[in-house]
Amino acid sequence: MNQNLYSLLSAHFPKSPAAPCMILPDGRVWTYGDIERASARMANLIAALGLRPGDRVAAQVEKTPEALVLYLACLRAGMVFLPLNPAYQRHELEYFLGDATPGLFVCRPPMRALADELALVAGVPHVLELDDDGRGSLITAATPQPDGFSTVQRDATDLAAILYTSGTTGRSKGAMLSHGNLAHNAEILHAYWHFQPGDVLLHMLPTFHVHGLFVACHTTLLNGSAMFFEPKFDAARAVKLMPESTVFMGVPTYYVRLLLEPAFGRETCRNIRLFVSGSAPLLKETFDEFKTRSGHTILERYGMTEGGMFTSNPYDGERRGGTVGHPLPGTAIRIVGADGTAVRTGIVGSIQVKGDNVFVGYWGMPEKTREEFTADGFFKTGDMGSWDEAFYITISGRSKDLVITGGLNVYPKEIEELIDAMPGVVESAVIGLPHPDFGEAVSAVVVRQKNPAGAALTEAAIISAIKGQLANFKVPKWVYLVDQLPRNAMGKVQKNILRQHYSPMPSQ
Ligand code: AMP
């Protein structure tokens, strides 16, 4: 049996090739027949360029149907797809091309000169273009190719994609994902979230990341159903399309922004059966407010580039705000203390995972890969978390974000939750900053509301409010008031940027 992920997906495509797959903002529709033929043409082109199964194809392009088709063509031709954030510049590109040595680099036209220069140095033989409207030399070259292609035979362990982690410390690492990894996670999520005939997904996530490319697209393709394929998230546009949609997937910021839309309400969500959130923590406050406004309980899940999704709140059972739910079927999770043994309920430890979805390793980094796996094959996620009495998991943050002050561990989330609950606060990020006595000092970066409560809030007031509630060593020594927190494309607060900005020695 061919274990190529494309074979699995296409086996579930609708019988009628005229069935819609992607519905575009201008009303144009890509049918399942269209994507089969277009991906065949592109797969033929890739083969005609002389690339062979196992070669990498890097793509730094905007989200378009053609970009998704390029991914599917790579699967079909047995290539290893390497999506790159369009925001990356020279320094990052230089590293990725040099590290992954792709046989083909597909870039946006404005990047062409740089792409040629870097490709020459990295020994990348082919560069083609795909513009933000889905045109360019990639399409011109693919158009005359035959629109039939026999999907290349792949084993479950063969690589399908390399996704570079955001790399907030040290060099970004290429997580190698196999056809089997991706197929396993796609099938589990499809079943766990009850995908059903007639579903319509509102797709507003970027497609260079696991959430938008794998979680959203694989579940839809495996379901043979349609998705509104929007170039990016736009709250007003979401309110417009939502009444025709049944599933929405977003990062927490999307939900925050939806709540700011006056037109958003129960009527908007009348056909939605599932709201999924992930990639960053969803504040309990947002979870609650969303429920009141829309009547829907957001399903929060947790995962990462190195394995897709690991946990999910239940579809049918209770969805607990502030938690990421239970381990998904086929994923084993354990939470361990510093000595490597399992922690008790309610105690924060390091999260480790094992399962068919867990990645193969880091590209070209066998040492690093070994370090990140335990002797019995569990992957050390780098996340801290705890179980509750009903086996729901709560994430407390990345272990590298843990603040160690005077030798004592402080989990930023505990303090952030208290600050966020204060009148006049929008949100906060707690970080450790170098301190001569304590090693690190607990420090809070706080965004205030633009109202009288926000205006009245001072650094000293925040510190004194926390003082009454937590042990002294957890009380922020320094508080910074800012207009907004730095976030990456997936809505994650970039604490590394905050640490850099306020180090080495805060001025207060
Ligand atoms: P990425 O590899 O970019 O998908 O980032 C994965 C990381 O995002 C995880 O290791 C977590 O730290 C974080 N993350 C993902 N989902 C959640 C969630 N629901 N709650 C808290 N953190 C999350």
Side-chain angles (χ1 to χ4, degrees):
M1 198 183 113
N2 190 356
Q3 289 174 314
N4 190 310
L5 172 66
Y6 187 82
S7 300
L8 171 74
L9 297 174
S10 63
H12 291 83
F13 287 177
K15 291 222 163 34
S16 164
C21 176
M22 286 181 270
I23 306 164
L24 305 188
D26 62 6
R28 273 183 305 139
V29 171
W30 278 66
T31 66
Y32 273 90
D34 291 335
I35 66 164
E36 285 241 68
R37 286 186 296 272
S39 63
R41 287 193 292 272
M42 250 184 237
N44 279 313
L45 169 67
I46 291 168
L49 290 175
L51 273 74
R52 308 171 66 108
D55 283 350
R56 275 77 55 210
V57 172
Q60 191 192 28
V61 292
E62 282 299 341
K63 178 182 175 187
T64 57
E66 290 79 4
L68 183 62
V69 164
L70 172 63
Y71 164 57
L72 298 175
C74 287
L75 291 177
R76 295 187 78 169
M79 303 298 144
V80 181
F81 188 63
L82 208 148
L84 296 170
N85 186 337
Y88 288 148
Q89 300 297 323
R90 167 186 285 273
H91 182 67
E92 290 124 331
L93 278 182
E94 195 171 12
Y95 171 67
F96 295 130
L97 295 181
D99 191 50
T101 59
L104 165 65
F105 178 37
V106 181
C107 69
R108 297 173 59 244
M111 299 296 271
R112 180 60 195 251
L114 176 63
D116 281 337
E117 181 196 326
L118 298 178
L120 196 68
V121 177
V124 178
H126 301 284
V127 177
L128 290 171
E129 292 168 29
L130 181 63
D131 73 16
D132 304 354
D133 296 318
R135 289 186 288 252
S137 54
L138 172 74
I139 305 301
T140 317
T143 304
Q145 293 289 334
D147 57 13
F149 184 86
S150 166
T151 296
V152 167
Q153 184 78 27
R154 295 276 85 186
D155 284 337
T157 52
D158 286 324
L159 294 192
I162 297 177
L163 265 68
Y164 278 86
T165 58
S166 19
T168 47
T169 49
R171 285 245 100 144
S172 176
K173 304 179 287 288
M176 299 187 281
L177 294 153
S178 68
H179 285 261
N181 290 152
L182 299 178
H184 176 82
N185 214 226
E187 287 187 302
I188 295 286
L189 294 177
H190 181 264
Y192 204 78
W193 292 343
H194 292 215
F195 269 82
Q196 49 199 253
D199 265 337
V200 179
L201 176 98
L202 176 51
H203 194 311
M204 293 188 139
L205 289 158
T207 46
F208 55 79
H209 184 268
V210 59
H211 197 166
L213 183 61
F214 298 151
V215 179
C217 292
H218 289 170
T219 45
T220 300
L221 295 174
L222 204 49
N223 199 45
S225 55
M227 52 187 165
F228 286 114
F229 205 66
E230 292 283 306
K232 60 177 176 21
F233 177 77
D234 175 316
R237 181 94 184 125
V239 168
K240 210 160 163 227
L241 293 174
M242 226 169 244
E244 314 301 324
S245 316
T246 65
V247 181
F248 180 76
M249 294 184 188
V251 297
T253 351
Y254 295 3
Y255 290 100
V256 172
R257 291 200 213 145
L258 272 173
L259 288 170
L260 293 174
E261 275 303 301
F264 177 76
R266 285 177 188 249
E267 194 45 29
T268 324
C269 315
R270 60 178 183 265
N271 278 321
I272 297 273
R273 65 168 185 83
L274 180 62
F275 282 103
V276 177
S277 175
S279 294
L282 179 74
L283 294 182
K284 176 78 168 50
E285 196 180 86
T286 312
F287 174 89
D288 290 337
E289 197 184 332
F290 199 84
K291 198 168 180 172
T292 312
R293 265 286 275 291
S294 70
H296 282 269
T297 310
I298 299 173
L299 178 153
E300 185 170 5
R301 92 301 177 277
Y302 153 72
M304 65 198 301
T305 304
E306 288 93 332
M309 297 304 105
F310 300 145
T311 76
S312 170
N313 266 281
Y315 186 81
D316 286 324
E318 184 201 353
R319 298 178 193 162
R320 288 195 181 174
T323 83
V324 294
H326 308 298
L328 281 162
T331 302
I333 296 202
R334 64 186 184 197
I335 304 183
V336 300
D339 61 358
T341 61
V343 295
R344 279 177 295 119
T345 306
I347 305 292
V348 176
S350 304
I351 301 178
Q352 302 184 343
V353 297
K354 191 176 184 173
D356 290 342
N357 49 331
V358 175
F359 76 135
V360 178
Y362 294 114
W363 173 260
M365 295 182 172
E367 276 302 307
K368 186 79 197 155
T369 304
R370 259 193 299 280
E371 276 169 29
E372 300 302 329
F373 280 88
T374 63
D376 58 351
F378 276 77
F379 170 61
K380 304 174 195 165
T381 62
D383 289 313
M384 311 289 294
S386 55
W387 300 102
D388 72 10
E389 77 300 337
F391 289 102
Y392 285 75
I393 293 174
T394 298
I395 308 284
S396 313
R398 302 285 300 159
S399 57
K400 64 174 191 300
D401 291 332
L402 181 76
V403 184
I404 305 180
T405 181
L408 298 166
N409 287 357
V410 177
Y411 299 103
K413 195 176 174 198
E414 188 183 6
I415 303 153
E416 287 162 3
E417 276 176 351
L418 289 180
I419 298 178
D420 293 348
M422 292 173 62
V425 171
V426 177
E427 58 177 353
S428 62
V430 166
I431 52 173
L433 292 175
H435 186 282
D437 289 340
F438 301 113
E440 280 185 312
V442 175
S443 313
V445 186
V446 180
V447 182
R448 288 180 298 179
Q449 285 170 1
K450 290 190 175 40
N451 58 19
L457 204 62
T458 60
E459 291 91 336
I462 294 171
I463 292 175
S464 74
I466 301 294
K467 250 188 191 141
Q469 306 183 66
L470 290 178
N472 227 3
F473 70 94
K474 295 184 189 173
V475 175
K477 298 218 165 12
W478 298 306
V479 172
Y480 301 94
L481 300 173
V482 296
D483 288 336
Q484 59 179 31
L485 298 176
R487 285 200 144 81
N488 73 8
M490 299 311 294
K492 283 193 236 292
V493 175
Q494 294 167 302
K495 290 194 170 177
N496 54 322
I497 292 183
L498 290 176
R499 278 191 291 261
Q500 268 164 21
H501 185 75
Y502 293 107
S503 292
M505 212 63 213
S507 51
Q508 290 182 39

